[in-house]
Amino acid sequence: MSNLSADILATLEKQAIELPSWAFGNSGTRFKVFATPGTPRDPFEKIADAARVNELTGLAPSVALHIPWDLVDDFGALRAHAEGLGVSLGTINSNTFQDDDYKFGALTHEDPKVRQKAIDHHFECIDVMNATGSRDLKIWLAEGSNYPGQADMRGRQDRLHESLATIYERLSGEQRLVLEYKFFEPAFYHTDVPDWGTSYAQVAALGERAMVCLDTGHHAPGTNIEFIVMQLLRLGKLGSFDFNSRFYADDDLIVGAADPFQLFRILFEVIRGGGLNNPDVAFMLDQCHNVENKILGQIRSVLNVQEMTARALLVDADALRDAQISGDVLAANAVFMDAFYTDVRPALAEWRESRGLPADPMRAQLDSDYQRTIEADRVGGVQAGWGA
Ligand code: PSV
Ligand code: MN
């Protein structure tokens, strides 16, 4: 007997998780990037692998791109390629962290010429969005300083506002700007957008179509991330997630790997705050698979999100509320934990089969010829990667 009701299954059926194109390229640490057989050599091959994840899981109908890593001559052709494989092109990520000119900042730089160069890069990203039909421009800034006194932190906030306002003005229709925060790295003393409060203050000053992006790996150890989720949903400013998991810093490991309970708690607040299957909130992965198979790593990731969503949907909201109102601390906690400890994997496997999907997408990929075929076909050329 399935422990997932028809209502829960109907909710899960609508779940959509966006895959990052860069998860399919080579990645690593600053010590070593390992090449792997079959790694895509261009954005077309990355999208084919992403579409494979969607084909086996039914969970990943769109792919986020990073510019310039995913620059192609013809974005119309890339879009047609994606659509032909049953996926769409999603969020466009800008990149102002790999150019010598940005050593001391991009959108916050003291030199107006450097700021203009960074703004022009974002205009280029908006041109890409117009061609791909993407809604969101996601901005993460590697800007900050390493030593006290090095930078005028106040002046940089002001310049950041001006630059973001210029970019925001360029968006049209339904397009949105989402601003990601990260507490440190690559700067180690101060970061210009280190936390949700700064991101919120900056996007609130822009307008309705500017939102915050929450990357789960971008917080100090011990941070109550689900509180931030709750607050941003309450304020109507949670634009997107970058899901991944961390043991130490910004590890970009498989979501739910380090702390499944944290993922459960986050998804509970998403559901509580009306963020699930809400078009205003994009659920993306931002991960790298340095030592594991990349396609399997992405399959595992979307399944982890699905499993924890199913468990969070099992929380008996009425019983929880009764216990909260009556001050029954342990009963409230028990309601919460009962849902977390429920194994939903057999029910999800059965449900997948009923929808024509493999009961076990990981096994289906392993048993298929897909990996062997790409390893045989993708020889020659340069494997994709972001040169970490
Ligand atoms: C920064 O650490 C980040 O989370 C941003 O989202 C970047 O675009 C991405 O990682 C690159 O992997
Ligand atoms: Mn991120």
Side-chain angles (χ1 to χ4, degrees), residues 214-217 219 223-230 262 266:
L214 186 158
D215 183 312
T216 48
H219 305 84
T223 301
N224 183 335
I225 297 175
E226 57 272 27
F227 180 87
I228 301 171
V229 171
M230 172 281 293
Q262 180 187 65
I266 289 171

Side-chain angles (χ1 to χ4, degrees), residues 26-27 32-37 39 290 294 383:
N26 287 326
S27 58
K32 173 71 181 162
V33 173
F34 296 101
T36 48
T39 293
N290 302 348
K294 299 170 200 313
Q383 295 192 329

Side-chain angles (χ1 to χ4, degrees), residues 22 93 138 140 180-181 213 215 218 242 244 250 252 286:
W22 53 100
N93 291 255
K138 193 178 104 212
W140 170 69
E180 183 173 351
Y181 60 92
C213 171
D215 183 312
H218 289 187
D242 267 5
N244 50 54
D250 185 18
D252 283 341
D286 178 10

